[in-house]
Amino acid sequence: MDASNYRRVPVGVVAPYDADDVAAALRVCADAGVPVVPRGGATSIAGQATGTGVVLDLTRHMNALVSVDPAARTAVVQPGLVLDRLRDAVRPYGLTFGPDPSTHSRCTLGGMIGNNACGAHSVAWGTTADNVAELAVTAYGGASHRLGTGWAGAPAGLRELVAGNLAVLRTGLYGPFGDFSRRISGYGGLDALLPERGTGLARAFCGSEGTLGVVTEAVLRLVELPAAPVLAVLGYADETAAAEAAAGLLPYRPLTLEGMAHDLVGAAAAGLPRGGAWLFAELPDEGAARALLRGADAVDARLVTDPAGQRALWRIREDAAGTATRLPGGAMAWPGWEDCAVPPVRLGAYLREFRALLAAHGLRGSPYGHFGEGCVHVRIDFDLVTREGVARYRTFSEELADLVVAHGGSLSGEHGDGQARAELLPRMYGPDAIALFGAYKDVWDPAGGMNPGMLVRPARLDENLRFAVLPDTPFATEVARCVGVAKCRSTETGGAAVMCPSYRATGEERHSTRGRARLLHEMLAGEIVTDGWRSAEVAGALDLCLGCKGCLSDCPVGVDMAAYKAEFLHRHWAGRIRPLAHYTLGGLPVWLRLIARLRLAAVVNAAARRLPLPGLTRTRPLPPLTRTPFTHWWRTRPTPPPPAPRATGPGNPASGGATGPGNPASGGATGPGNPASGGATGPGNPASGGGAESGNPASGGATGPGKPASPAFEARVRAEPEGRPQGTGTPPTGPATRATGPATRATGPATRATGTGTGTGTGPGPGTPVTLWPDTFTEHLAPETGRAAVRVLEAAGFAVTVPRGPVCCGLTYVSTGRLDRARTVLRRTLDALDASNGTDTANGTNASGRTGATDHPVLVLEPSCAAALRTDLPALLPDDPRAHRLAAAVRTFAETLEEYAPDWRPPRIDRPVAGQTHCHQHAVLGDAADRRLRERAGLTGELSGGCCGLAGNFGFEPGHHDVSVACAEEQLLPSLRGAPEAALIQADGFSCRTQIAQLGGVRARHLAELLDEAL
């Protein structure tokens, strides 16, 4: 599989080291009559990177940048080199490679040559074919060719074929409105072989989709990178208006001219100019941008000169290939008609008719794309499972092909035809051109061994669909969510993103999110992986999944591999003795509770220093257990004095007085929708309990629009839709009912009281309760974090309560796949919260006078436990309303202070800070409140993104140490080594703090500890 709707099973995969290996493989395959498919990043969306023979994986070893000649503006590359690696290497010379698909972080140069890829900047810098000078090619059978301009290197018979078809090449390839830049379909570049066009052999080879030979090296032309490009964002009334305006802006020579409408952009439209559709026009400088604005007839416009602001806006466009797969309402949409193109002057009329065709077939999709070149991307909610749905897919495809051709367009504008559109090429080209295509293929590949079924003598567009082999189950529906855009294969580091640490550590597809999803797909299909849930191959691929949940937020379609792994382990080990680590680390809460009850912490610590613990790695020491658990300290400490109210002047910024809506100093206590006021106004307002949009913590949802809670699949069958990948009826997105919290939640009184201590302003109302959750890590391994949090919360004016009975989020059971045990533990936890109103205050009473702990915020200091309670709890117990109430009440330390004590001023620390944002915080909880709290406390600098590599039980399990260390070396350890000498080290996750201590040699502290020390 690639990023398309198709599945073809190869007989094997070869990862050649060099051109000689490629030639040897092609000779062996030709002798055996076995087809060959060259493959790069496999981000192709038409099926051309799938194959039934031998797949040549050119990304593993043939991925070098051979040389750069800045003076000549050329680079020599191997086919497996990722585009961004080339761009990074030539950027210091002020150069770049012009074509830039949105998959630039993982697509390869060889794949771009195969598809004749374009990207946003092709309106200025052309297609890949326009930027290729020479190609080294190996044909089926092992013959080598060096292609440039002129006939040198051409296969036998090609010159004669061209000479006999000059009329077809000159007139038979163009539509009724003449030629245009995005005529990519078929062997659309054959006219480059005309003598008047310089006999461009290399150019004509581009776009051949692996059907002619294998590129082993390429000489590429580079272009000058603008020193200070400016982005002009133009708002229009609707999509048609934006499309019709695009052609008129081309005389201003924009570097990009991208279009998208509100149905794709969604909530991100809040940061764009007024309008229902937008054009993103990048210009080389501000003067050019302002000239374009003066000539544009837009409803509204905005110039963005800041590079960071430009990157944020471009991210909306780059993620569209994934976000377009999720339509409003949650239905999945699929590729198949991803990139047809028409001449730009025809784009507005074409889009109107395209929308009408969608409506006539009862289909939906959100067009976007390169409006400056008339190229439209769209994913459509096809039913690709039922016989009727597949028949409609065919009928729609045929009618859309006719519509594109009627407007003088190309069935493919940059992604290639593959299996999705090659069958329809006779609707675009006449019989003479189709015959020429076949003859061209036969000159290069007379045996027909190179990627058969693509472009020439193609497979049908409605066969080999990947969904047909899947069972109709909830888990299969979730696995099908992966559409293969391969963002998980990005090797970029830096920034907040986490996905996919195990792939970056190993470089192996099976250890990427996509690779694991594909293996699960095959397990469910049962044709190749035949031992189902007992599959050792699937278990091996999932073994190095750290459970970081990075894919839940970073994957454009919200794949949750941590949840898939938990489900697999649950079924894989059902009825069998599990690995020892599942009982030791998986049962950690029970063991630690027993050790504390028997007062054996000192004995266990001494034994752990000398004796290996069964089932755990011997390369990593165990963190010591505390002799005084947090709740023991809590029960025995002196009762604190009640918070003393303090009068504050209205509007005084130093006092935190609340003067009006939106006052940044006050938190705007009077404005509607303010968390302090309980106003419920807009969707996602934390005070309103509105939906799961934008990671609304009150909803129990995940972090982004349409992001699912971690599914407990076997418990939710009755909540599932009937269908799978289909666009009508129920969306095939996994559980039909997502966990959400109650419509409203309790907030503190509008009248605030001042807390005590140095770092205080106006705090929450007198005695406003907060339940501090004694998670296993805080309770038994880091009670100092809990003690610090209590002191800070009381300084901020809260009445802190702690659950009376033992409570547990179930995290260790979920991560080891003991889902039945997790449910039991979670039910007991909910029962414990119900008992005696669920909480103890310092003096043994429930200060709230309410019915339970979940009527006020439940502060969970450990991010992984907070994430488990917010997402896994309602997924595992979907029918228990108490689970949803608790999930909705969960807050992080910073969220609690921001929402319930917005006027409290933290102590000023005024120090740089380094450290690690917990991956579950990034993926599920969000860290915006933490950033704001650090800023208010004078903590400067950024915490590392990525994953620390310890990841709970992962780093302590045998065979994981090298990957664990490699993950830490990506961002965390370099950031510690590069931190200022005066920097404080923060990591709210216990695993992160342990990794920092063991590998970095320094002590990290929770944000609560840093604030407590400054009080």
Side-chain angles (χ1 to χ4, degrees):
M1 289 180 280
D2 50 13
S4 73
N5 298 325
Y6 298 100
R7 169 183 177 267
R8 295 195 296 170
V9 180
V11 298
V13 177
V14 173
Y17 279 85
D18 52 29
D20 290 340
D21 282 355
V22 172
L26 289 169
R27 281 194 298 270
V28 170
C29 288
D31 290 343
V34 175
V36 173
V37 179
R39 179 171 164 125
T43 55
S44 298
I45 58 171
Q48 61 266 51
T50 67
T52 56
V54 167
V55 170
L56 294 183
D57 181 357
L58 300 167
T59 65
R60 292 296 306 278
H61 309 299
M62 296 184 67
N63 53 20
L65 172 58
V66 178
S67 64
V68 175
D69 186 339
R73 294 184 180 178
T74 59
V76 181
V77 303
Q78 290 185 322
L81 181 67
V82 170
L83 172 58
D84 269 1
R85 302 289 75 76
L86 171 63
R87 300 204 303 177
D88 291 343
V90 301
R91 188 176 293 112
Y93 305 110
L95 302 173
T96 192
F97 187 63
D100 58 341
S102 61
T103 54
H104 52 80
S105 65
R106 60 268 192 199
C107 70
T108 64
L109 275 305
M112 292 176 65
I113 291 166
N115 289 341
N116 195 7
C118 302
H121 285 88
S122 66
V123 69
W125 295 329
T127 70
T128 298
D130 295 323
N131 292 274
V132 168
E134 296 180 27
L135 294 175
V137 173
T138 304
Y140 193 64
S144 296
H145 304 265
R146 189 82 184 185
L147 311 180
T149 56
W151 289 111
L158 181 56
R159 186 170 190 170
E160 293 76 12
L161 178 67
V162 170
N165 288 274
L166 292 175
V168 177
L169 291 172
R170 287 176 175 137
T171 63
L173 302 181
Y174 312 144
F177 301 98
D179 200 13
F180 73 112
S181 61
R182 289 301 186 102
R183 182 179 49 77
I184 302 296
S185 276
Y187 296 123
L190 271 180
D191 55 349
L193 298 177
L194 287 166
E196 62 266 29
R197 298 201 175 192
T199 313
L201 284 177
R203 183 185 181 92
F205 191 92
C206 293
S208 56
E209 301 183 24
T211 61
L212 305 181
V214 180
V215 173
T216 59
E217 190 174 271
V219 180
L220 307 178
R221 300 186 185 95
L222 304 174
V223 298
E224 186 177 351
L225 193 64
V230 174
L231 180 63
V233 184
L234 310 172
Y236 293 88
D238 55 32
E239 172 185 87
T240 299
E244 291 176 339
L249 298 176
L250 293 176
Y252 294 94
R253 304 176 66 83
L255 302 177
T256 70
L257 197 52
E258 301 289 287
M260 63 199 81
H262 195 283
D263 54 358
L264 177 76
V265 174
L272 299 176
R274 289 179 297 111
W278 297 269
L279 291 177
F280 282 29
E282 185 179 88
L283 284 300
D285 54 54
E286 188 170 347
R290 294 197 177 279
L292 182 141
L293 285 188
R294 287 192 295 270
D297 185 19
V299 173
D300 194 9
R302 175 184 166 198
L303 279 187
V304 184
T305 58
D306 171 43
Q310 292 181 33
R311 284 194 299 271
L313 289 169
W314 277 121
R315 199 170 298 120
I316 299 172
R317 167 63 184 85
E318 290 173 0
D319 281 347
T323 55
T325 66
R326 302 284 295 175
L327 298 176
M332 288 290 286
W334 308 99
W337 280 97
E338 176 69 24
D339 68 318
C340 51
V342 299
V345 294
R346 305 290 304 171
L347 182 59
Y350 165 75
L351 281 175
R352 280 194 299 271
E353 295 182 52
F354 171 74
R355 290 277 193 179
L357 185 62
L358 280 177
H361 285 272
L363 297 170
R364 293 183 297 160
S366 300
Y368 65 99
H370 314 296
F371 281 19
E373 291 190 286
C375 184
V376 176
H377 298 318
V378 64
R379 300 205 171 201
I380 300 170
D381 59 344
F382 298 117
D383 169 3
L384 298 174
V385 175
T386 68
R387 182 178 301 176
E388 296 79 8
V390 173
R392 180 171 57 171
Y393 170 57
R394 167 171 285 281
T395 302
F396 175 85
S397 296
E398 292 170 347
E399 293 181 15
L400 182 55
D402 291 340
L403 177 62
V404 172
V405 172
H407 284 275
S410 176
L411 304 184
S412 171
E414 66 176 337
H415 292 162
D417 298 303
Q419 187 176 339
R421 291 178 290 272
E423 182 189 356
L424 302 171
L425 286 175
R427 294 171 180 259
M428 175 179 170
Y429 293 109
D432 291 340
I434 295 296
L436 178 59
F437 290 168
Y440 181 58
K441 158 79 171 174
D442 293 341
V443 164
W444 272 103
D445 181 27
M450 291 304 303
N451 206 4
M454 303 294 140
L455 293 185
V456 171
R457 297 175 282 276
R460 299 193 314 274
L461 62 86
D462 51 3
E463 64 180 325
N464 303 322
L465 293 169
R466 67 183 177 97
F467 312 105
V469 296
L470 288 177
D472 187 5
T473 66
F475 190 74
T477 297
E478 283 289 333
V479 168
R481 175 190 296 271
C482 175
V483 294
V485 295
K487 193 175 180 182
C488 52
R489 281 179 57 99
S490 171
T491 57
E492 288 182 345
T493 58
V498 173
M499 180 181 73
C500 174
S502 57
Y503 173 76
R504 291 193 297 272
T506 65
E508 295 188 35
E509 170 83 11
R510 69 187 177 123
H511 294 307
S512 69
T513 304
R514 181 179 73 174
R516 293 180 175 117
R518 297 313 196 207
L519 273 170
L520 288 167
H521 192 288
E522 293 304 323
M523 179 196 79
L524 295 169
E527 295 177 359
I528 308 303
V529 179
T530 57
D531 46 356
W533 295 99
R534 296 295 172 92
S535 168
E537 294 91 346
V538 177
L542 288 170
D543 181 59
L544 290 186
C545 172
L546 287 85
C548 66
K549 286 188 176 289
C551 46
L552 180 62
S553 61
D554 298 342
C555 171
V557 296
V559 167
D560 187 356
M561 192 52 63
Y564 302 175
K565 178 181 180 179
E567 182 70 16
F568 175 82
L569 292 175
H570 172 69
R571 294 176 185 256
H572 183 73
W573 294 108
R576 298 194 291 169
I577 296 176
R578 290 170 165 267
L580 280 172
H582 288 198
Y583 299 107
T584 52
L585 294 175
L588 191 67
V590 172
W591 297 118
L592 296 187
R593 199 175 299 128
L594 178 62
I595 291 167
R597 187 173 298 152
L598 298 177
R599 300 184 179 180
L600 293 176
V603 174
V604 171
N605 289 338
R609 288 193 294 269
R610 294 169 175 81
L611 302 173
L613 198 61
L616 303 188
T617 181
R618 301 187 180 190
T619 57
R620 186 184 289 276
L622 293 175
L625 305 179
T626 182
R627 297 189 183 190
T628 307
F630 167 71
T631 54
H632 178 78
W633 169 84
W634 171 259
R635 290 191 299 267
T636 57
R637 75 178 188 129
T639 302
R646 187 184 79 178
T648 58
N652 180 356
S655 71
T659 63
N663 178 357
S666 70
T670 63
N674 175 7
S677 70
T681 59
N685 178 358
S688 72
E693 291 182 13
S694 306
N696 174 14
S699 72
T703 59
K707 300 293 186 185
S710 307
F713 304 98
E714 76 289 350
R716 304 176 72 158
V717 173
R718 63 185 177 279
E720 290 298 325
E722 293 296 325
R724 287 174 290 131
Q726 55 188 7
T728 58
T730 321
T733 58
T737 304
R738 299 295 185 189
T740 55
T744 58
R745 69 162 170 81
T747 57
T751 304
R752 302 296 185 182
T754 302
T756 59
T758 304
T760 59
T762 303
T768 295
V770 57
T771 296
L772 183 59
W773 185 271
D775 62 84
T776 295
F777 305 100
T778 301
E779 173 75 348
H780 299 288
L781 294 162
E784 64 276 6
T785 300
R787 296 194 294 266
V790 168
R791 289 188 287 265
V792 173
L793 291 169
E794 290 179 342
F798 287 96
V800 181
T801 66
V802 174
R804 290 183 182 177
V807 293
C808 180
C809 68
L811 172 66
T812 60
Y813 304 104
V814 172
S815 63
T816 52
R818 300 170 67 187
L819 298 185
D820 290 336
R821 178 64 179 166
R823 290 189 188 88
T824 299
V825 167
L826 291 170
R827 288 191 186 98
R828 289 177 180 171
T829 292
L830 294 174
D831 292 342
L833 292 176
D834 284 344
S836 303
N837 291 337
T839 56
D840 278 344
T841 59
N843 61 3
T845 63
N846 185 313
S848 70
R850 297 175 182 160
T851 58
T854 57
D855 290 318
H856 45 264
V858 176
L859 194 168
V860 185
L861 293 168
E862 172 60 39
S864 58
C865 295
L869 288 171
R870 194 174 280 182
T871 60
D872 294 327
L873 167 63
L876 287 164
L877 302 178
D879 297 326
D880 192 330
R882 301 175 302 168
H884 298 281
R885 286 198 298 270
L886 176 55
V890 167
R891 297 293 184 275
T892 66
F893 176 71
E895 286 173 344
T896 301
L897 290 171
E898 182 172 88
E899 292 182 41
Y900 293 90
D903 303 329
W904 179 73
R905 288 179 289 108
R908 293 290 299 184
I909 300 175
D910 294 323
R911 295 269 294 276
V913 66
Q916 177 77 49
T917 298
H918 195 287
C919 47
H920 286 193
Q921 178 129 20
H922 164 77
V924 177
L925 306 167
D927 68 341
D930 298 73
R931 290 172 179 271
R932 290 188 289 267
L933 181 56
R934 287 198 299 269
E935 182 180 358
R936 294 173 66 198
L939 291 169
T940 58
E942 294 289 330
L943 304 188
S944 292
C947 180
C948 76
L950 187 57
N953 53 297
F954 178 85
F956 288 99
E957 293 176 344
H960 293 173
H961 186 261
D962 290 347
V963 170
S964 177
V965 173
C967 292
E969 283 290 356
E970 272 196 348
Q971 293 193 59
L972 173 58
L973 296 181
S975 75
L976 297 178
R977 290 190 284 265
E981 187 173 344
L984 299 171
I985 308 302
Q986 181 199 332
D988 286 1
F990 179 77
S991 290
C992 306
R993 296 198 296 273
T994 301
Q995 186 82 313
I996 289 170
Q998 294 187 353
L999 300 183
V1002 296
R1003 180 181 173 233
R1005 285 167 287 185
H1006 195 286
L1007 181 55
E1009 295 179 80
L1010 298 181
L1011 294 182
D1012 173 52
E1013 291 170 8
L1015 283 174

